[in-house]
């Protein structure tokens, strides 16, 4: 009796060790299958682990990872939270849980979980950039910038932090700062730089109205992808900004070859033709845009063609109709007033501008025009 009793602890320890070894082997197999996207096989393995040890942390995280991979985020959250209820410091569960909240656009909850993660691993760059990204999503400029800069303190050329700082500053209209960070990325990867960095740099130059500098980056983007919408749009808009409409037409039309029913681009192309004096072509593009759906800029374009051709009465009728639908658009009043001036109806021209001042009494452009016409 005593001999059997003495053998029991050793037998129990042996069985426990065998189960631990088996769980370890199964866990490794499960994660290998998960990496290979064999989710059904991985699912069976992780469930078999739970049959050996209820609430096993590897299995619960593994099941959470499977559901997250399948975009079943709420189910994944349940597995991660169950794991954390038994193992509150499990970094894999915390990481997976935060990523689920991020995918569900619950950025504040994601930040809270990632902050818990950083308590255990406060220099994890991957998590730190995720926290900074999440702060950017909720438009907390200060905290986002602080976290990105902490990443750069650890790794001064970290691409995710540099790109994130570019996006952060761009979102907050700090275009010079955005340009600084995105240019750094470009300088570090001149030949292999991502096309999105090139178009982002180009867009900063568009916003800063340094159009000539922007064209170079959009052209480099087109070398990588000749049909890239953002590069084609950027180039067209830069040439538009430099009043080189004859060049912008080429790129607007290239976009229309790829997307012939793009109402905005049809109108922009019409504007370019009109500005170069090709009213016949402009008319075609404006009408195509209006066939898709009403577009105020296309309608303004048609009125401006009439005005440009000296059909002031027709143009005035069009501008009056547009004002009914958009009574706060000062540009319409200016053009309508101009039409009346061209027809020799100076009193009407003045009255139109004075009518607009009843809507916006502080508009200095309108006030200056009134003084000129008196």
């Amino acid at each position: 009796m005593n001999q059997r009793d003495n053998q029991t602890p050793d037998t129990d320890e042996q069985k426990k060790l065998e189960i631990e070894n088996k769980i370890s082997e199964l866990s490794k197999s499960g994660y290998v299958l998960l990496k290979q996207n064999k989710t059904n096989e991985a699912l069976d393995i992780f469930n078999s682990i739970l049959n050996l040890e209820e609430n096993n942390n590897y299995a619960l995280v593994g099941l959470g990872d499977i559901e997250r991979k399948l975009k079943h985020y709420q189910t994944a959250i349940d597995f991660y939270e169950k794991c954390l209820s038994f193992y509150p410091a499990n970094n894999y569960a915390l990481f997976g849980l935060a990523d689920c909240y991020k995918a569900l656009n619950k950025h504040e909850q994601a930040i809270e979980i990632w902050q818990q993660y950083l308590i255990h691993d406060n220099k994890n760059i991957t998590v730190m950039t995720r926290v900074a990204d999440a702060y950017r999503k909720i438009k907390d400029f200060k905290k986002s910038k602080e976290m990105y800069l902490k990443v750069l303190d650890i790794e001064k050329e970290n691409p995710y932090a540099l790109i994130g700082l570019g996006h952060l500053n761009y979102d907050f209209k700090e275009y010079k700062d955005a340009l600084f960070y995105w240019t750094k990325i470009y300088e570090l990867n001149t030949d292999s730089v991502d096309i999105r960095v090139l178009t982002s740099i180009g867009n900063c130059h568009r916003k800063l109205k340094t159009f000539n500098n922007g064209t170079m980056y959009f052209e480099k983007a087109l070398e990588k992808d000749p049909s890239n919408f953002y590069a084609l749009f950027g180039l067209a808009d830069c040439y538009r900004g430099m009043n080189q409409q004859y060049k912008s037409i080429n790129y607007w039309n290239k976009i229309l070859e790829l997307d012939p029913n793009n109402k905005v681009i049809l109108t922009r192309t019409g504007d370019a033709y009109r500005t170069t004096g090709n009213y016949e072509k402009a008319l075609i593009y404006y009408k195509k845009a209006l066939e898709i759906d009403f577009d105020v800029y296309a309608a303004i374009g048609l009125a401006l063609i009439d005005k440009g051709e000296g059909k002031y009465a027709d143009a005035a009728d069009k501008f009056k109709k547009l004002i009914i639908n958009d009574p706060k658009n000062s540009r319409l009043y200016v053009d309508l007033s101009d039409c009346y001036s061209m027809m020799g109806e100076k009193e009407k021209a003045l009255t139109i501008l004075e009518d607009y001042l009843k809507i916006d009494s502080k508009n200095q452009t309108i006030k200056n025009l009134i003084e000129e016409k008196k």
Side-chain angles (χ1 to χ4, degrees):
M1 187 75 176
N2 288 340
Q3 191 174 358
R4 271 201 308 271
D5 287 344
N6 289 336
Q7 288 174 348
T8 302
D10 290 338
T11 307
D12 288 346
E13 283 298 318
Q14 189 176 350
K15 282 183 179 178
K16 187 179 176 184
L17 188 61
E18 285 173 4
I19 289 170
E20 284 176 1
N21 289 336
K22 191 170 183 181
I23 286 172
S24 179
E25 287 172 17
L26 286 169
S27 294
K28 287 175 188 174
S29 300
Y31 283 107
V32 167
L33 289 166
L34 186 54
K35 282 181 182 176
Q36 294 171 347
N37 290 320
K38 296 178 180 177
T39 50
N40 288 332
E41 293 96 321
L43 189 70
D44 291 339
I45 284 180
F46 289 127
N47 278 321
S48 69
I49 293 173
L50 292 180
N51 290 331
L52 293 169
E53 184 187 322
E54 191 180 6
N55 303 320
N56 176 273
N57 62 332
Y58 295 111
L60 291 170
V61 170
L63 290 167
D65 288 349
I66 289 170
E67 298 299 338
R68 178 161 57 101
K69 203 176 188 77
L70 295 170
K71 299 185 179 179
H72 302 157
Y73 298 116
Q74 190 52 57
T75 309
I77 286 169
D78 293 341
F79 281 117
Y80 292 133
E81 286 184 338
K82 187 173 182 181
C83 175
L84 290 166
S85 69
F86 295 100
Y87 312 96
N90 187 297
N91 279 355
Y92 298 103
L94 288 168
F95 190 96
L97 181 59
D99 256 18
C100 284
Y101 284 131
K102 175 193 169 190
L104 293 169
N105 290 319
K106 296 181 177 179
H107 300 293
E108 278 140 347
Q109 285 159 283
I111 289 167
E112 189 181 329
I113 301 300
W114 276 319
Q115 295 287 19
Q116 287 180 47
Y117 184 106
L118 289 172
I119 291 168
H120 311 290
D121 184 5
N122 67 353
K123 290 193 175 178
N124 187 304
I125 284 174
T126 303
V127 174
M128 289 168 75
T129 52
R130 276 173 158 77
V131 173
D133 288 345
Y135 277 127
R136 177 164 64 85
K137 295 286 185 186
I138 62 171
K139 301 190 184 304
D140 191 328
F141 181 88
K142 186 181 176 185
K143 286 183 180 176
S144 180
K145 187 176 182 179
E146 281 174 2
M147 191 58 77
Y148 282 131
L149 292 176
K150 278 183 184 177
V151 172
L152 292 180
D153 285 340
I154 298 168
E155 187 181 309
K156 67 176 182 178
E157 293 177 351
N158 182 275
Y160 299 106
L162 290 171
I163 288 170
L165 279 162
H167 283 299
L168 177 67
N169 284 285
Y170 191 89
D171 291 347
F172 281 85
K173 296 181 171 50
E174 301 287 346
Y175 301 120
K176 285 185 180 177
D177 289 339
L179 187 60
F180 171 79
Y181 290 111
W182 277 328
T183 303
K184 266 198 169 186
I185 287 286
Y186 172 71
E187 288 167 353
L188 291 167
N189 308 276
T190 306
D191 296 325
S192 59
V193 69
D194 191 293
I195 195 168
R196 289 170 294 185
V197 173
L198 293 170
T199 54
S200 294
I201 292 172
N203 283 329
C204 283
H205 283 297
R206 277 202 311 121
K207 296 293 186 182
L208 293 167
K209 300 190 186 304
T210 49
F211 300 113
N212 194 44
N213 293 331
T215 56
M216 180 183 86
Y217 294 97
F218 290 125
E219 282 166 358
K220 285 180 181 292
L222 285 181
E223 286 171 16
K224 291 176 177 285
D225 178 8
S227 61
N228 184 278
F229 173 87
Y230 299 103
L232 290 169
F233 184 95
L235 263 175
D237 206 47
C238 280
Y239 285 123
R240 173 176 170 255
M242 291 188 284
N243 289 318
Q244 296 179 23
Q245 299 288 1
Y246 61 97
K247 286 186 179 179
S248 73
I249 286 168
N250 178 43
Y251 296 103
W252 294 133
N253 276 318
K254 280 186 178 179
I255 295 173
L256 290 172
E257 285 172 18
L258 303 166
D259 186 6
N261 293 318
N262 189 314
K263 184 165 63 82
V264 173
I265 304 302
L266 284 166
T267 300
R268 288 287 182 95
T269 314
D271 288 344
Y273 278 119
R274 179 179 54 78
T275 307
T276 57
N278 191 337
Y279 294 146
E280 189 179 341
K281 278 270 193 182
L283 201 63
I284 292 167
Y285 284 89
Y286 288 140
K287 285 184 175 178
K288 276 185 183 176
L290 290 166
E291 281 169 12
I292 295 165
D293 193 13
F294 178 77
D295 184 281
V296 67
Y297 297 106
I300 290 171
L302 290 176
L304 288 171
I305 288 174
D306 282 343
K307 185 182 170 188
E309 291 179 334
K311 300 173 184 174
Y312 301 119
D314 291 341
D317 286 341
K318 288 184 173 70
F319 285 125
K320 279 189 276 187
K321 286 174 184 173
L322 286 164
I323 285 171
I324 292 167
N325 292 318
D326 190 4
K328 293 182 180 179
N329 188 334
S330 64
R331 174 185 173 180
L332 299 175
Y333 290 82
V334 171
D335 279 311
L336 178 56
S337 175
D338 221 18
C339 288
Y340 283 128
S341 291
M342 292 296 187
M343 290 188 285
E345 299 184 46
K346 293 189 177 180
E347 284 302 317
K348 274 192 178 181
L350 195 59
T351 302
I352 289 298
L353 296 174
E354 288 169 345
D355 284 346
Y356 182 77
L357 279 187
K358 292 172 187 174
I359 298 168
D360 178 9
S361 60
K362 294 179 180 178
N363 190 305
Q364 194 58 47
T365 303
I366 299 291
K367 285 181 178 179
N368 292 341
L369 284 171
I370 289 171
E371 286 303 313
E372 286 174 22
K373 289 181 187 292
K374 279 184 176 178

